[in-house]
Amino acid sequence: MTADDKPTTRLGLRVNIAQFSLLVGVNALVGGMLGQERTVVPLLATEVFGVPGYTAALTFIVAFGLAKAATNYFAGTLSDRYGRKPVLVAGWLVALPVPFMLIWAPSWGWVVFANVLLGVSQGLTWSTTVVMKIDLVGPARRGLAMGFNEAAGYAAVAATALATGYIAADHGLRPAPFYLGIAFAALGLGISTLFVRETREHARLEARTHVARVDGRHDHLGDDLTNGQVFAQTSFKEPALSAASQAGLVNNLNDGLAWGLFPVLFLSAGLSIERIGLLAAIYPMVWGVGQLVTGGLSDRWGRKWLIAGGMGVQAAGLAIMALADGFAWWASAAVLLGAGTAMVYPTLLAAIGDVAHPAWRARAVGTYRLWRDGGFAVGAVLAGVLADLYGVRTAIGVVAALTALSGVVVAVRMYETKHDPAPSSPVTAGGPR
């Protein structure tokens, strides 16, 4: 093969649609690995292992959140150093033993350790599919790309949560619900190894053709930041990046609460496992499907007010969940919570991509996801302690107030990150065409 025969690296959704679609499918499998736990594992804690107290029962979410948060941070650095595809494949290798451990766990400690592995796997696989899609599409359709990525992942979370609820009702909490996880891990590893292609060169191309904002807002950031500088800018210094990081943390704080306490609340009200599975699925399903709309909307309307408004809608859903009783009210609250999260989730990632230079964008995404998925651990601990001291409904109410406050922080601190630095056109390794 001569140099002229090599595939041309081009940015854009249409020209990379085959690889983009493949990565959407891969992320659906990543979401399915998480969804196998949403209905069943909280019930394993109380019904099989008899774990005393809400705080102890939520240790599996703490373990998952801490492992995923830390891995997110390193995934960005590793993908810059070694490439995106090796990190993705490594994540699937880590995922392989998880469903088997959940099936055969002789004690709750095994379940907690399985969630450490699940967190590492999710940090490597989900972070990498995010970065790869941002690499492929370039700056013009970033929100739409993130909408498709997160929609695939969380629609799969919802579908698997629903399916495992019905499977558990017919066949018990173990082992049948976790057969889905075995299939997901095998498919994910096979597709990622055989069919996914490296996208790091797309990021390098965008870095070479990068056009700064006309208002000069990001000029001081530069394109050659150390890991420490990227962490500081994303976490604290840069207004939009830091506002996004705190909103991501609070978003997953309330998701950690929903994952760990909602099934317990519904079970205490006498709902069947099938209905608990349905309620557990409504929230991520609305979240997942809604992102197909909100991601693209953020490309047209902007990021800031979708994020601030979405945090407010989430807070309203949580407040109803805390105050109301009965399947219909809880289903309505789950719809609101899902809609608010759909407004926020892909838009936060798009905002990070807007601000971060392509040369250090993967590390910025990793830092943001460190804070965001650290919210699982914070939410599990906070929710567990509050539930043990004051009851489940009080815990949900406190998290609703924190979510509303986070939206206010975004409204005050974040500026609009969406901008069009140049007319959109396909970009190739030879320059714009």
Side-chain angles (χ1 to χ4, degrees):
M1 178 182 287
T2 66
D4 291 338
D5 295 326
K6 292 180 180 178
T8 302
T9 300
R10 305 176 71 189
L11 301 179
L13 178 57
R14 183 171 298 178
V15 297
N16 292 298
I17 190 64
Q19 276 294 299
F20 184 90
S21 300
L22 188 64
L23 287 165
V24 169
V26 169
N27 207 53
L29 295 170
V30 176
M33 290 298 294
L34 182 59
Q36 69 179 322
E37 293 203 345
R38 298 290 290 208
T39 301
V40 176
V41 171
L43 301 181
L44 283 177
T46 56
E47 301 300 299
V48 174
F49 295 108
V51 180
Y54 295 115
T55 306
L58 298 186
T59 50
F60 77 101
I61 300 178
V62 176
F64 170 84
L66 290 176
K68 187 181 179 189
T71 308
N72 282 334
Y73 179 72
F74 292 108
T77 301
L78 291 172
S79 68
D80 275 344
R81 180 174 300 174
Y82 300 110
R84 291 22 171 165
K85 180 173 177 173
V87 176
L88 178 62
V89 171
W92 280 115
L93 289 171
V94 176
L96 285 176
V98 170
F100 296 101
M101 293 180 70
L102 295 173
I103 288 170
W104 294 322
S107 66
W108 184 242
W110 280 71
V111 175
V112 173
F113 182 66
N115 273 268
V116 172
L117 294 181
L118 182 64
V120 172
S121 170
Q122 293 273 306
L124 294 174
T125 52
W126 205 310
S127 290
T128 306
T129 61
V130 166
V131 171
M132 294 178 88
K133 289 186 183 70
I134 293 177
D135 289 345
L136 290 172
V137 302
R141 308 296 294 278
R142 195 167 280 140
L144 181 66
M146 290 302 92
F148 274 101
N149 186 80
E150 301 303 290
Y154 284 97
V157 170
T160 309
L162 181 62
T164 53
Y166 281 103
I167 292 170
D170 289 339
H171 302 287
L173 295 175
R174 293 194 297 181
F178 300 109
Y179 292 156
L180 291 175
I182 296 172
F184 293 153
L187 282 171
L189 178 60
I191 293 171
S192 299
T193 302
L194 298 175
F195 301 110
V196 170
R197 295 201 300 266
E198 181 58 60
T199 65
R200 185 167 47 169
E201 188 57 36
H202 291 77
R204 290 170 175 166
L205 170 60
E206 187 182 346
R208 293 194 298 270
T209 59
H210 180 69
V211 180
R213 286 175 65 123
V214 294
D215 60 10
R217 180 180 282 274
H218 303 151
D219 287 353
H220 69 287
L221 295 176
D223 61 357
D224 188 24
L225 272 62
T226 66
N227 291 344
Q229 288 171 328
V230 172
F231 180 84
Q233 292 290 345
T234 308
S235 303
F236 310 113
K237 292 185 176 181
E238 211 290 322
L241 294 177
S242 58
S245 293
Q246 69 80 29
L249 185 148
V250 174
N251 182 94
N252 277 19
L253 184 153
N254 64 52
D255 188 38
L257 173 140
W259 181 3
L261 289 188
F262 283 4
V264 177
L265 173 66
F266 304 149
L267 184 66
S268 68
L271 296 187
S272 66
I273 293 180
E274 294 97 328
R275 286 208 144 191
I276 293 171
L278 181 57
L279 286 172
I282 288 173
Y283 154 48
M285 181 59 73
V286 174
W287 172 0
V289 174
Q291 291 173 111
L292 294 173
V293 177
T294 57
L297 282 179
S298 77
D299 286 333
R300 295 193 291 274
W301 294 357
R303 323 295 191 197
K304 173 176 177 174
W305 294 110
L306 269 177
I307 296 170
M311 299 304 288
V313 174
Q314 286 181 48
L318 288 166
I320 293 172
M321 192 71 74
L323 296 172
D325 273 306
F327 181 86
W329 278 107
W330 284 333
S332 299
V335 169
L336 276 179
L337 187 57
T341 309
M343 294 167 68
V344 167
Y345 226 68
T347 315
L348 286 169
L349 282 165
I352 299 292
D354 291 341
V355 177
H357 190 281
W360 47 272
R361 185 172 57 211
R363 286 174 286 161
V365 169
T367 301
Y368 158 73
R369 287 171 62 85
L370 164 70
W371 289 110
R372 194 193 70 184
D373 290 324
F376 280 121
V378 175
V381 172
L382 179 64
V385 170
L386 288 173
D388 280 330
L389 292 176
Y390 306 109
V392 172
R393 292 178 186 271
T394 298
I396 297 172
V398 169
V399 172
L402 288 175
T403 304
L405 179 61
S406 176
V408 173
V409 172
V410 171
V412 172
R413 183 161 171 75
M414 180 179 272
Y415 56 87
E416 180 50 60
T417 66
K418 165 80 171 54
H419 64 102
D420 296 307
S424 60
S425 60
V427 180
T428 69
R433 294 184 179 180

